[in-house]
Amino acid sequence: MSIEILTQPAFEPVSLTQAREWLRLESDDTANTAVLQLLIQAMREDAENLTHRAFISRQLRLNLDGWPSDSLYGSSIELPYPPLISVDSFKYVDTDGVLQTLAANQYDVHDESEPAFIIPAHQVTWPTIRQTPNAIQITFTTGYAVGSPPDEAAAQENIPSTLKLWMQTKLATMFEHREQLIAGTIVAKVPRDFTDGLLDSITVGTRLF
């Protein structure tokens, strides 16, 4: 199994304006722009790794070598990095080596749980595929919905408040100690502390209450 990022997030959960406000920097302070952009991206990526979520909308492709066979629902396929917005295409390599598109009425998408998963439609079985790498290719859009066209303010409004607080706290800490944390373009990982507990309620696989 592998995941490809087809489109990168168009923006971050925290804007430069918000970051400057949190750090009590002047709104026209551009001297630290590059550092802030680096820290914001690093924090978002770290939060996504910790929670197994996608916070800003992007398109991914899940590649599988074969059909799963260990599910109660009959070969269900789990779509990582919730929340799921849409399944955009479902393709497979047939026995002749031709890439085919599976019609949407041949499978059901269940997004009432996280991660979302796909199962064959009623009385449908998965087609026979060629034994080859990436024989199954599912393209999907994930992240917190931001409307069309995507809007930065709307995206940030939909993001969980616990993530915003986590990023605010981390941003202040990392900016204050940026000389120790940044070497070139590499941001060192900050050890887990009580602040990371803010993400527990939105981590995939944990209880909300």
Side-chain angles (χ1 to χ4, degrees), residues 15-195:
S15 68
L16 281 171
T17 298
Q18 291 170 328
R20 291 189 181 104
E21 290 176 352
W22 288 344
L23 297 170
R24 297 183 176 86
L25 299 176
E26 296 296 331
S27 59
D28 59 351
D29 179 355
T30 60
N32 294 297
T33 296
V35 171
L36 290 176
Q37 289 174 328
L38 177 63
L39 293 178
I40 291 169
Q41 179 180 343
M43 286 187 301
R44 188 256 302 162
E45 292 174 349
D46 195 29
E48 289 176 335
N49 287 331
L50 288 169
T51 63
H52 312 293
R53 287 186 179 276
F55 291 107
I56 298 297
S57 176
R58 75 208 66 175
Q59 191 175 61
L60 306 176
R61 182 160 61 215
L62 172 66
N63 299 312
L64 300 170
D65 296 337
W67 302 112
S69 59
D70 57 352
S71 168
L72 175 65
Y73 301 103
S75 301
S76 70
I77 299 173
E78 186 176 279
L79 300 177
Y81 297 103
L84 176 70
I85 296 176
S86 63
V87 174
D88 305 321
S89 70
F90 194 140
K91 298 183 178 183
Y92 66 95
V93 179
D94 67 15
T95 54
D96 293 324
V98 178
L99 188 64
Q100 303 283 358
T101 297
L102 189 65
N105 63 4
Q106 298 296 292
Y107 59 89
D108 294 328
V109 179
H110 290 269
D111 59 2
E112 65 274 10
S113 62
E114 292 185 333
F117 61 93
I118 300 174
I119 60 174
H122 181 59
Q123 295 185 335
V124 171
T125 58
W126 295 134
T128 302
I129 60 174
R130 174 171 285 197
Q131 297 303 306
T132 185
N134 302 330
I136 302 163
Q137 303 171 16
I138 303 173
T139 300
F140 60 103
T141 301
T142 187
Y144 288 83
V146 296
S148 181
D151 178 77
E152 182 177 13
Q156 292 164 355
E157 182 68 24
N158 287 336
I159 290 171
S161 58
T162 50
L163 172 68
K164 297 176 186 177
L165 181 56
W166 181 88
M167 292 190 72
Q168 177 177 349
T169 304
K170 290 290 186 180
L171 179 63
T173 300
M174 295 177 75
F175 185 78
E176 182 179 354
H177 301 285
R178 58 193 180 279
E179 291 81 5
Q180 291 77 35
L181 294 172
I182 301 177
T185 59
I186 300 175
V187 179
K189 182 175 178 63
V190 178
R192 177 183 170 91
D193 57 21
F194 75 93
T195 305

